Every structure is written in structure tokens, then in C-alpha cells.
Amino acid sequence: MKIALLTQGSRGDVEPFIRLGKALQRRGHIVTVSAPLNFTDLIESAGLLACPTDMDIEKILSTKKGKELLKANPFAIIKSMKSVHAFT
């Protein structure tokens, strides 16, 4: 079975999906992990297929606007993420 896993976030968000993908792969599945571009090497070094997205959460959160978002509630963060992405 082909399985696609999607995650957006920091390394702490991506690593559990890599562990899940490796477990699924050991059971005979073909696993692709879609995550921010900066984690492509990490995913591929785990032996999984990578499908990178163009959003780099770590880069966004290092900006002034991104740091302001961390103070907001989670729903505001999600709603604002597209506008912040335009600034990176």
C-alpha cells in the first residue's frame, strides 16, 4: 500500500512522522512524507520518500512577524500562516 503522511512544523513535528513512516515501511508499505523543504534530507536519510512543501516554519518563526504569531492562540496562528509565508 502507498501511504502519504503530511506535516508542517518544526523538526519536533516532523520526526514523529518519520518514525511512523519507518514503522509502516517495515510492514511493507511505500511511504512518502510531505514536510517543509528543509527536512527533505532528514526524511530521505531515514529511507523514506520526500515530497517537500515550500513552507519553512523555522524560517518563518525566526522573523519578527513569526515571533509575534507565537504569542497568539493556535487558531490565529493557522489563520495568519499564509500571510507570514508571503514575507519569507
Side-chain angles (χ1 to χ4, degrees), residues 7 9-19 33 35-36 39 42-43:
T7 182
S10 65
R11 185 175 179 135
D13 299 306
V14 175
E15 284 185 346
F17 283 85
I18 292 173
R19 287 192 297 276
V33 179
F39 295 112
L42 183 65
I43 294 165

Side-chain angles (χ1 to χ4, degrees), residues 12 57 83:
I57 299 297
S83 66

